[in-house]
Amino acid sequence: PKIASPDQTLDLVQNALIDAHRHYARALAPLLPEELGELVRQLEPVFVGQNRMGHTLADRPAGRRMCNLLEKLDRAELLAAAEALLPLTQPDFLHQLTQLPDQADPPENLPGVQGPIVRKIQTPVGLILIGGRGKNQYQLDQMPEVAAVIDLGGDDDYLEGTASFYRPVMVLVDLAGNDTYRSAKPGVQGGAILGVSLLVDREGNDTYLARDVAQGSAIAGVGILIDQQGNDQYVGIRRVQGHALAGLGLLVDRAGQDQYRGALWTQGFGAPLGMGILDDLDGADHYYTGGYYLDTYEETPGYEGWGQGVGAGLRQVSNGGIGVILDGGGDDVYEYDYLAHGGGYWCGMGFARDFGGNDRRLGATLKAYDGAERTQARFQRFGVGWGCHYALGFLFDDQGDDTYGGTIMGLGMAWDDSVGVLVDFGGNDRYDATGGLTQGVGAQAGLGILFDYNGQDVYLGRNQGYASSTNTYHPSLGAAGNFSFVIDYGGKDEYGCGAANNAITQRGAAGGFIIDRPHHDETAVLGGGK
């Protein structure tokens, strides 16, 4: 709707909250009362709890039971509840909010708030607070009756602010200031557990500090965080920064040089029945996932990662979802540990795309999560366009001189009836994962592709496009080979395996190839060899 005055914005907020509650009630309607009660009691302990393994849960039977109930939710109605809140993200609406007066006579007072409160508006679904342009502190969980906070400015502090069955819709809109959002509870900062949450921060260098299910994250719901300007810092441990299980989690940062730090299930991660998206539109950004929990592969050192565009199931619980990370531009740094960066696991799909800049992809992380020296040797497994166990993983980089790192099983690699793809469309690139099963490799009936278009590229190690003749996972599938491709179009390239430019080189078994082709303005000299 068209907003012509500041007062109309407040009517819009009230109507949006009411509509969101209506859709939320419809989403829960298919559940029996005892089933709903079970979800309310068990979602947090089962899916949050003390889980530390990226591939499964500590209590798998309970997780399976929860997933059975979550399939009964009307998730389309949960999305409709989130759509009802989207008018509160529009530029015209936010501009009109800035015109609201920040004086009240007499000033409003409310337990749980320090600083000026301009106005309180009671609605059928909760209280709307309007904070003034001074510094405010909001202790949101001390005010369970509050459904929305609109703050007109100032360097503010937001503490907790959970969205759940007990406060199913939570909205925070901050118009200006260098703000700090802090929480120890899950379901905060545009995060929700069996709820719908929206956080919009219009400008300022902001800091988001949380532990679990936060910063555009949801379990059985929708969580959205949109930060429009500023150099921001996002810090969390698990299920943060664009994560969803049985719902949608979305973090959008429109501008600034931002830092993202998480340890497990982070930065565009889709769990069962969920889609998680992290979309950073511009700026030189730094992404870090891992460095906290020891990996579960006993034979190799390192940390769990599970982030940066990963869709993954929970083994012995449920099949995977869809995870997406998008970066619009800037010279970015990606640090990641095991099973991260454009990958799919256990019937999941992961997608990573960087649209510009000279990017560095560092597997494994350089330091531990807390900034201390790593207790584990630097070792990374499954990364950068990979699929594992009936899954799909993709990484696309549009332009720039990029570096791709890892240790084993990565850089366009697929394992066990999966597809893993890495595509770089331009620049002088360096592929420096030299361990086994890297650089366009499919194994155990997998299809692995590394495609590079233009540039003088360097491929280290000897693994490029190598196909093994063994298939121990699926011996009964006689026609199921291992398909491995490195395809490079244009430029004078260096291959660690010694493959020639402008040639087709078969690598290993029948399904392995390096295909090097000249650009249209280069002279093609075709050749080949084993």
Side-chain angles (χ1 to χ4, degrees):
K2 291 288 186 179
I3 302 298
S5 70
D7 285 341
Q8 288 183 357
T9 63
L10 302 181
D11 293 335
L12 180 60
V13 173
Q14 178 168 324
N15 292 334
L17 290 171
I18 292 171
D19 285 347
H21 275 81
R22 181 183 300 115
H23 288 293
Y24 176 82
R26 292 173 180 168
L28 270 54
L31 293 164
L32 298 173
E34 56 271 23
E35 293 173 332
L36 178 57
E38 190 174 350
L39 285 177
V40 172
R41 293 188 303 272
Q42 294 297 318
L43 278 175
E44 182 177 337
V46 170
F47 288 117
V48 181
Q50 297 301 312
N51 294 301
R52 57 163 301 276
M53 299 177 291
H55 70 282
T56 193
L57 298 175
D59 189 342
R60 290 180 282 281
R64 178 64 255 169
R65 169 62 179 169
M66 291 294 98
C67 287
N68 288 339
L69 295 179
L70 291 174
E71 288 190 64
K72 296 184 68 174
L73 279 172
D74 190 332
R75 294 190 303 281
E77 286 290 343
L78 284 176
L79 293 175
E83 281 195 55
L85 301 177
L86 290 185
L88 310 185
T89 71
Q90 299 305 307
D92 289 347
F93 166 81
L94 297 173
H95 173 72
Q96 288 292 344
L97 279 182
T98 66
Q99 308 305 307
L100 286 170
D102 67 347
Q103 299 295 324
D105 189 18
E108 298 279 3
N109 292 304
L110 190 69
V113 179
Q114 298 178 22
I117 295 297
V118 175
R119 194 168 172 184
K120 294 189 296 187
I121 304 170
Q122 187 63 57
T123 80
V125 293
L127 192 63
I128 302 172
L129 292 186
I130 312 296
R133 290 181 173 85
K135 179 179 176 62
N136 283 2
Q137 184 185 82
Y138 301 95
Q139 300 189 53
L140 296 166
D141 281 1
Q142 293 186 17
M143 304 178 287
E145 72 279 12
V146 171
V149 174
I150 297 169
D151 189 275
L152 303 180
D155 299 341
D156 305 306
D157 290 330
Y158 295 86
L159 306 181
E160 305 303 343
T162 53
S164 68
F165 176 76
Y166 300 105
R167 179 165 48 193
V169 179
M170 183 67 191
V171 173
L172 300 177
V173 179
D174 191 289
L175 299 179
N178 302 322
D179 307 305
T180 301
Y181 301 82
R182 291 180 288 166
S183 180
K185 299 178 181 179
V188 294
Q189 299 170 19
I193 299 178
L194 200 63
V196 178
S197 180
L198 171 68
L199 191 166
V200 180
D201 192 294
R202 188 167 179 261
E203 62 180 54
N205 301 326
D206 306 306
T207 301
Y208 302 86
L209 305 173
R211 295 188 60 83
D212 219 318
V213 194
Q215 301 160 13
S217 177
I219 296 177
V222 181
I224 301 174
L225 192 166
I226 301 173
D227 191 294
Q228 297 197 341
Q229 295 183 40
N231 302 324
D232 307 306
Q233 185 178 23
Y234 303 87
V235 179
I237 298 180
R238 297 175 302 183
R239 302 194 188 278
V240 295
Q241 301 155 22
H243 156 279
L245 187 154
L248 173 67
L250 175 62
L251 193 166
V252 178
D253 189 295
R254 295 189 174 276
Q257 300 183 35
D258 308 304
Q259 297 196 30
Y260 301 86
R261 198 169 193 86
L264 187 67
W265 301 316
T266 70
Q267 297 165 18
F269 185 91
L273 304 172
M275 183 169 185
I277 305 170
L278 194 168
D279 185 5
D280 189 296
L281 278 72
D282 199 12
D285 307 304
H286 193 133
Y287 303 88
Y288 178 109
T289 185
Y292 192 96
Y293 300 102
L294 297 182
D295 78 272
T296 53
Y297 290 93
E298 295 181 357
E299 68 273 20
T300 53
Y303 297 100
E304 297 280 78
W306 299 90
Q308 299 177 8
V310 171
L314 296 165
R315 293 184 72 164
Q316 299 176 311
V317 177
S318 185
N319 296 335
I322 302 172
V324 178
I325 185 171
L326 306 171
D327 187 282
D331 298 339
D332 306 305
V333 176
Y334 301 88
E335 295 186 57
Y336 45 88
D337 283 312
Y338 281 46
L339 296 112
H341 203 81
Y345 180 87
W346 203 260
C347 304
M349 195 282 278
F351 183 90
R353 184 171 182 179
D354 191 297
F355 290 84
N358 303 320
D359 306 308
R360 292 192 300 149
R361 294 174 172 88
L362 308 177
T365 57
L366 298 179
K367 296 288 187 71
Y369 173 85
D370 62 1
E373 295 300 319
R374 293 171 56 106
T375 63
Q376 298 286 298
R378 286 195 69 221
F379 197 97
Q380 197 275 334
R381 185 170 184 158
F382 287 112
V384 191
W386 56 276
C388 180
H389 301 315
Y390 326 107
L392 307 173
F394 303 91
L395 185 151
F396 289 79
D397 191 294
D398 286 33
Q399 56 183 306
D401 300 336
D402 306 306
T403 301
Y404 298 90
T407 308
I408 64 174
M409 307 175 88
L411 280 63
M413 189 272 165
W415 179 267
D416 186 18
D417 275 358
S418 295
V419 176
V421 179
L422 189 168
V423 179
D424 189 295
F425 290 109
N428 303 320
D429 306 306
R430 182 182 178 91
Y431 302 91
D432 63 5
T434 59
L437 300 174
T438 59
Q439 303 182 37
V441 172
Q444 304 296 348
L447 168 61
I449 301 172
L450 193 167
F451 179 92
D452 189 292
Y453 184 87
N454 280 346
Q456 318 292 328
D457 307 306
V458 177
Y459 302 83
L460 300 182
R462 301 185 55 82
N463 304 299
Q464 299 86 32
Y466 188 87
S468 170
S469 61
T470 62
N471 185 2
T472 58
Y473 278 29
H474 307 283
S476 63
L477 300 178
N482 298 314
F483 297 96
S484 306
F485 294 92
V486 170
I487 305 168
D488 190 294
Y489 180 83
K492 185 176 181 180
D493 310 300
E494 299 178 24
Y495 297 96
C497 66
N501 275 252
N502 304 328
I504 298 175
T505 304
Q506 185 176 337
R507 298 278 291 150
F513 292 93
I514 295 176
I515 302 172
D516 188 292
R517 280 288 179 261
H519 196 271
H520 63 82
D521 58 359
E522 298 172 340
T523 301
V525 180
L526 301 180
K530 298 266 184 185

mmCIF file of all heavy atoms in Angstrom, residues 329-358:
data_model
loop_
_atom_site.group_PDB
_atom_site.id
_atom_site.type_symbol
_atom_site.label_atom_id
_atom_site.label_comp_id
_atom_site.label_asym_id
_atom_site.label_seq_id
_atom_site.Cartn_x
_atom_site.Cartn_y
_atom_site.Cartn_z
ATOM 1 N N GLY A 329 29.577 -8.668 -4.618
ATOM 2 C CA GLY A 329 30.799 -8.052 -5.107
ATOM 3 C C GLY A 329 31.764 -7.777 -3.984
ATOM 4 O O GLY A 329 31.440 -7.900 -2.802
ATOM 5 N N GLY A 330 32.985 -7.378 -4.348
ATOM 6 C CA GLY A 330 34.030 -7.114 -3.370
ATOM 7 C C GLY A 330 35.020 -8.249 -3.296
ATOM 8 O O GLY A 330 34.744 -9.381 -3.695
ATOM 9 N N ASP A 331 36.211 -7.926 -2.787
ATOM 10 C CA ASP A 331 37.248 -8.936 -2.605
ATOM 11 C C ASP A 331 36.990 -9.642 -1.278
ATOM 12 O O ASP A 331 37.303 -9.127 -0.203
ATOM 13 C CB ASP A 331 38.631 -8.279 -2.595
ATOM 14 C CG ASP A 331 38.949 -7.582 -3.920
ATOM 15 O OD1 ASP A 331 38.320 -7.921 -4.932
ATOM 16 O OD2 ASP A 331 39.827 -6.690 -3.922
ATOM 17 N N ASP A 332 36.428 -10.822 -1.370
ATOM 18 C CA ASP A 332 35.936 -11.521 -0.187
ATOM 19 C C ASP A 332 36.892 -12.629 0.245
ATOM 20 O O ASP A 332 37.640 -13.188 -0.558
ATOM 21 C CB ASP A 332 34.559 -12.127 -0.474
ATOM 22 C CG ASP A 332 33.582 -11.078 -0.984
ATOM 23 O OD1 ASP A 332 33.399 -10.068 -0.293
ATOM 24 O OD2 ASP A 332 33.020 -11.282 -2.074
ATOM 25 N N VAL A 333 36.814 -12.958 1.526
ATOM 26 C CA VAL A 333 37.567 -14.074 2.085
ATOM 27 C C VAL A 333 36.574 -15.060 2.693
ATOM 28 O O VAL A 333 35.710 -14.673 3.491
ATOM 29 C CB VAL A 333 38.560 -13.602 3.160
ATOM 30 C CG1 VAL A 333 39.266 -14.806 3.803
ATOM 31 C CG2 VAL A 333 39.592 -12.653 2.566
ATOM 32 N N TYR A 334 36.678 -16.311 2.298
ATOM 33 C CA TYR A 334 35.853 -17.387 2.850
ATOM 34 C C TYR A 334 36.777 -18.361 3.587
ATOM 35 O O TYR A 334 37.684 -18.929 2.992
ATOM 36 C CB TYR A 334 35.124 -18.146 1.747
ATOM 37 C CG TYR A 334 34.192 -17.315 0.886
ATOM 38 C CD1 TYR A 334 34.654 -16.661 -0.254
ATOM 39 C CD2 TYR A 334 32.833 -17.215 1.190
ATOM 40 C CE1 TYR A 334 33.795 -15.920 -1.058
ATOM 41 C CE2 TYR A 334 31.968 -16.479 0.389
ATOM 42 C CZ TYR A 334 32.464 -15.833 -0.734
ATOM 43 O OH TYR A 334 31.609 -15.100 -1.538
ATOM 44 N N GLU A 335 36.523 -18.544 4.872
ATOM 45 C CA GLU A 335 37.207 -19.582 5.638
ATOM 46 C C GLU A 335 36.176 -20.647 6.002
ATOM 47 O O GLU A 335 35.062 -20.331 6.406
ATOM 48 C CB GLU A 335 37.827 -19.012 6.916
ATOM 49 C CG GLU A 335 38.945 -18.012 6.691
ATOM 50 C CD GLU A 335 39.603 -17.620 7.999
ATOM 51 O OE1 GLU A 335 40.089 -18.523 8.709
ATOM 52 O OE2 GLU A 335 39.611 -16.415 8.328
ATOM 53 N N TYR A 336 36.572 -21.914 5.890
ATOM 54 C CA TYR A 336 35.601 -22.981 6.117
ATOM 55 C C TYR A 336 36.332 -24.263 6.489
ATOM 56 O O TYR A 336 37.461 -24.519 6.061
ATOM 57 C CB TYR A 336 34.760 -23.213 4.856
ATOM 58 C CG TYR A 336 35.566 -23.264 3.588
ATOM 59 C CD1 TYR A 336 36.118 -24.457 3.135
ATOM 60 C CD2 TYR A 336 35.813 -22.107 2.859
ATOM 61 C CE1 TYR A 336 36.880 -24.506 1.989
ATOM 62 C CE2 TYR A 336 36.582 -22.130 1.708
ATOM 63 C CZ TYR A 336 37.116 -23.334 1.273
ATOM 64 O OH TYR A 336 37.890 -23.373 0.141
ATOM 65 N N ASP A 337 35.664 -25.060 7.302
ATOM 66 C CA ASP A 337 36.180 -26.377 7.658
ATOM 67 C C ASP A 337 35.354 -27.450 6.950
ATOM 68 O O ASP A 337 34.829 -27.218 5.877
ATOM 69 C CB ASP A 337 36.220 -26.523 9.182
ATOM 70 C CG ASP A 337 37.406 -25.764 9.789
ATOM 71 O OD1 ASP A 337 38.525 -25.917 9.280
ATOM 72 O OD2 ASP A 337 37.208 -25.011 10.761
ATOM 73 N N TYR A 338 35.205 -28.617 7.547
ATOM 74 C CA TYR A 338 34.648 -29.781 6.851
ATOM 75 C C TYR A 338 33.231 -29.517 6.306
ATOM 76 O O TYR A 338 32.417 -28.857 6.947
ATOM 77 C CB TYR A 338 34.586 -30.969 7.803
ATOM 78 C CG TYR A 338 35.893 -31.702 8.016
ATOM 79 C CD1 TYR A 338 37.076 -31.024 8.256
ATOM 80 C CD2 TYR A 338 35.932 -33.093 8.005
ATOM 81 C CE1 TYR A 338 38.269 -31.696 8.469
ATOM 82 C CE2 TYR A 338 37.113 -33.779 8.227
ATOM 83 C CZ TYR A 338 38.288 -33.078 8.454
ATOM 84 O OH TYR A 338 39.458 -33.761 8.667
ATOM 85 N N LEU A 339 32.978 -30.074 5.117
ATOM 86 C CA LEU A 339 31.650 -30.085 4.492
ATOM 87 C C LEU A 339 31.058 -28.681 4.432
ATOM 88 O O LEU A 339 30.075 -28.358 5.088
ATOM 89 C CB LEU A 339 30.720 -31.053 5.237
ATOM 90 C CG LEU A 339 31.174 -32.516 5.148
ATOM 91 C CD1 LEU A 339 31.636 -33.020 6.500
ATOM 92 C CD2 LEU A 339 30.048 -33.406 4.610
ATOM 93 N N ALA A 340 31.685 -27.848 3.606
ATOM 94 C CA ALA A 340 31.286 -26.441 3.549
ATOM 95 C C ALA A 340 31.505 -25.871 2.152
ATOM 96 O O ALA A 340 32.253 -26.411 1.348
ATOM 97 C CB ALA A 340 32.079 -25.629 4.581
ATOM 98 N N HIS A 341 30.801 -24.806 1.897
ATOM 99 C CA HIS A 341 30.964 -23.932 0.732
ATOM 100 C C HIS A 341 30.482 -24.583 -0.570
ATOM 101 O O HIS A 341 31.242 -25.215 -1.300
ATOM 102 C CB HIS A 341 32.416 -23.474 0.596
ATOM 103 C CG HIS A 341 32.523 -22.193 -0.198
ATOM 104 N ND1 HIS A 341 32.290 -20.961 0.361
ATOM 105 C CD2 HIS A 341 32.783 -21.965 -1.499
ATOM 106 C CE1 HIS A 341 32.431 -20.027 -0.569
ATOM 107 N NE2 HIS A 341 32.719 -20.615 -1.706
ATOM 108 N N GLY A 342 29.193 -24.384 -0.827
ATOM 109 C CA GLY A 342 28.607 -24.853 -2.072
ATOM 110 C C GLY A 342 28.520 -26.351 -2.160
ATOM 111 O O GLY A 342 29.075 -26.962 -3.092
ATOM 112 N N GLY A 343 27.802 -26.973 -1.200
ATOM 113 C CA GLY A 343 27.755 -28.423 -1.183
ATOM 114 C C GLY A 343 26.427 -28.984 -0.742
ATOM 115 O O GLY A 343 25.641 -28.326 -0.068
ATOM 116 N N GLY A 344 26.183 -30.229 -1.121
ATOM 117 C CA GLY A 344 24.988 -30.947 -0.701
ATOM 118 C C GLY A 344 25.363 -32.259 -0.032
ATOM 119 O O GLY A 344 26.336 -32.921 -0.430
ATOM 120 N N TYR A 345 24.588 -32.617 0.994
ATOM 121 C CA TYR A 345 24.847 -33.831 1.754
ATOM 122 C C TYR A 345 23.528 -34.529 2.062
ATOM 123 O O TYR A 345 22.551 -33.881 2.469
ATOM 124 C CB TYR A 345 25.575 -33.478 3.059
ATOM 125 C CG TYR A 345 25.899 -34.661 3.945
ATOM 126 C CD1 TYR A 345 27.079 -35.378 3.769
ATOM 127 C CD2 TYR A 345 25.030 -35.068 4.954
ATOM 128 C CE1 TYR A 345 27.388 -36.465 4.580
ATOM 129 C CE2 TYR A 345 25.329 -36.155 5.772
ATOM 130 C CZ TYR A 345 26.509 -36.845 5.578
ATOM 131 O OH TYR A 345 26.793 -37.916 6.379
ATOM 132 N N TRP A 346 23.504 -35.808 1.894
ATOM 133 C CA TRP A 346 22.353 -36.655 2.262
ATOM 134 C C TRP A 346 21.026 -36.093 1.720
ATOM 135 O O TRP A 346 20.178 -35.630 2.449
ATOM 136 C CB TRP A 346 22.272 -36.854 3.767
ATOM 137 C CG TRP A 346 21.501 -38.096 4.118
ATOM 138 C CD1 TRP A 346 20.201 -38.168 4.521
ATOM 139 C CD2 TRP A 346 21.985 -39.441 4.044
ATOM 140 N NE1 TRP A 346 19.839 -39.475 4.698
ATOM 141 C CE2 TRP A 346 20.922 -40.291 4.422
ATOM 142 C CE3 TRP A 346 23.204 -40.019 3.696
ATOM 143 C CZ2 TRP A 346 21.045 -41.673 4.449
ATOM 144 C CZ3 TRP A 346 23.329 -41.401 3.728
ATOM 145 C CH2 TRP A 346 22.258 -42.202 4.115
ATOM 146 N N CYS A 347 20.921 -36.171 0.374
ATOM 147 C CA CYS A 347 19.685 -35.742 -0.307
ATOM 148 C C CYS A 347 19.420 -34.245 -0.150
ATOM 149 O O CYS A 347 18.265 -33.808 -0.231
ATOM 150 C CB CYS A 347 18.484 -36.553 0.158
ATOM 151 S SG CYS A 347 18.675 -38.329 -0.051
ATOM 152 N N GLY A 348 20.456 -33.464 0.060
ATOM 153 C CA GLY A 348 20.325 -32.012 0.118
ATOM 154 C C GLY A 348 20.942 -31.355 -1.098
ATOM 155 O O GLY A 348 21.619 -31.993 -1.913
ATOM 156 N N MET A 349 20.717 -30.030 -1.249
ATOM 157 C CA MET A 349 21.290 -29.262 -2.343
ATOM 158 C C MET A 349 21.859 -27.975 -1.801
ATOM 159 O O MET A 349 21.168 -27.239 -1.084
ATOM 160 C CB MET A 349 20.247 -28.956 -3.416
ATOM 161 C CG MET A 349 20.852 -28.468 -4.740
ATOM 162 S SD MET A 349 21.369 -26.745 -4.777
ATOM 163 C CE MET A 349 19.820 -25.925 -5.112
ATOM 164 N N GLY A 350 23.122 -27.681 -2.154
ATOM 165 C CA GLY A 350 23.773 -26.445 -1.728
ATOM 166 C C GLY A 350 24.261 -25.654 -2.915
ATOM 167 O O GLY A 350 24.698 -26.220 -3.935
ATOM 168 N N PHE A 351 24.217 -24.322 -2.772
ATOM 169 C CA PHE A 351 24.513 -23.441 -3.904
ATOM 170 C C PHE A 351 25.236 -22.206 -3.384
ATOM 171 O O PHE A 351 24.739 -21.517 -2.495
ATOM 172 C CB PHE A 351 23.205 -23.037 -4.586
ATOM 173 C CG PHE A 351 23.359 -22.178 -5.812
ATOM 174 C CD1 PHE A 351 23.488 -22.750 -7.064
ATOM 175 C CD2 PHE A 351 23.364 -20.798 -5.709
ATOM 176 C CE1 PHE A 351 23.618 -21.958 -8.198
ATOM 177 C CE2 PHE A 351 23.488 -20.000 -6.839
ATOM 178 C CZ PHE A 351 23.621 -20.585 -8.089
ATOM 179 N N ALA A 352 26.429 -21.938 -3.944
ATOM 180 C CA ALA A 352 27.185 -20.734 -3.600
ATOM 181 C C ALA A 352 27.496 -19.973 -4.881
ATOM 182 O O ALA A 352 27.861 -20.575 -5.894
ATOM 183 C CB ALA A 352 28.485 -21.095 -2.888
ATOM 184 N N ARG A 353 27.349 -18.634 -4.813
ATOM 185 C CA ARG A 353 27.697 -17.825 -5.980
ATOM 186 C C ARG A 353 28.273 -16.495 -5.519
ATOM 187 O O ARG A 353 27.708 -15.829 -4.666
ATOM 188 C CB ARG A 353 26.483 -17.581 -6.872
ATOM 189 C CG ARG A 353 26.845 -16.823 -8.166
ATOM 190 C CD ARG A 353 25.696 -16.766 -9.146
ATOM 191 N NE ARG A 353 26.066 -16.093 -10.386
ATOM 192 C CZ ARG A 353 25.254 -15.924 -11.428
ATOM 193 N NH1 ARG A 353 24.017 -16.400 -11.368
ATOM 194 N NH2 ARG A 353 25.659 -15.299 -12.508
ATOM 195 N N ASP A 354 29.409 -16.124 -6.132
ATOM 196 C CA ASP A 354 30.039 -14.832 -5.890
ATOM 197 C C ASP A 354 30.095 -14.092 -7.220
ATOM 198 O O ASP A 354 30.665 -14.586 -8.188
ATOM 199 C CB ASP A 354 31.443 -15.025 -5.306
ATOM 200 C CG ASP A 354 32.037 -13.729 -4.795
ATOM 201 O OD1 ASP A 354 32.255 -12.809 -5.617
ATOM 202 O OD2 ASP A 354 32.286 -13.630 -3.577
ATOM 203 N N PHE A 355 29.513 -12.887 -7.254
ATOM 204 C CA PHE A 355 29.316 -12.190 -8.520
ATOM 205 C C PHE A 355 30.492 -11.310 -8.931
ATOM 206 O O PHE A 355 30.507 -10.801 -10.049
ATOM 207 C CB PHE A 355 28.041 -11.346 -8.450
ATOM 208 C CG PHE A 355 26.777 -12.146 -8.419
ATOM 209 C CD1 PHE A 355 26.296 -12.663 -7.237
ATOM 210 C CD2 PHE A 355 26.075 -12.402 -9.587
ATOM 211 C CE1 PHE A 355 25.128 -13.406 -7.201
ATOM 212 C CE2 PHE A 355 24.904 -13.147 -9.570
ATOM 213 C CZ PHE A 355 24.431 -13.659 -8.373
ATOM 214 N N GLY A 356 31.471 -11.069 -8.057
ATOM 215 C CA GLY A 356 32.581 -10.229 -8.466
ATOM 216 C C GLY A 356 33.627 -10.096 -7.383
ATOM 217 O O GLY A 356 33.363 -10.303 -6.194
ATOM 218 N N GLY A 357 34.853 -9.715 -7.803
ATOM 219 C CA GLY A 357 35.937 -9.504 -6.859
ATOM 220 C C GLY A 357 36.968 -10.605 -6.919
ATOM 221 O O GLY A 357 36.736 -11.697 -7.442
ATOM 222 N N ASN A 358 38.141 -10.285 -6.365
ATOM 223 C CA ASN A 358 39.222 -11.263 -6.255
ATOM 224 C C ASN A 358 39.063 -11.966 -4.908
ATOM 225 O O ASN A 358 39.399 -11.420 -3.860
ATOM 226 C CB ASN A 358 40.578 -10.566 -6.340
ATOM 227 C CG ASN A 358 40.735 -9.760 -7.629
ATOM 228 O OD1 ASN A 358 40.315 -10.201 -8.697
ATOM 229 N ND2 ASN A 358 41.322 -8.581 -7.532
#
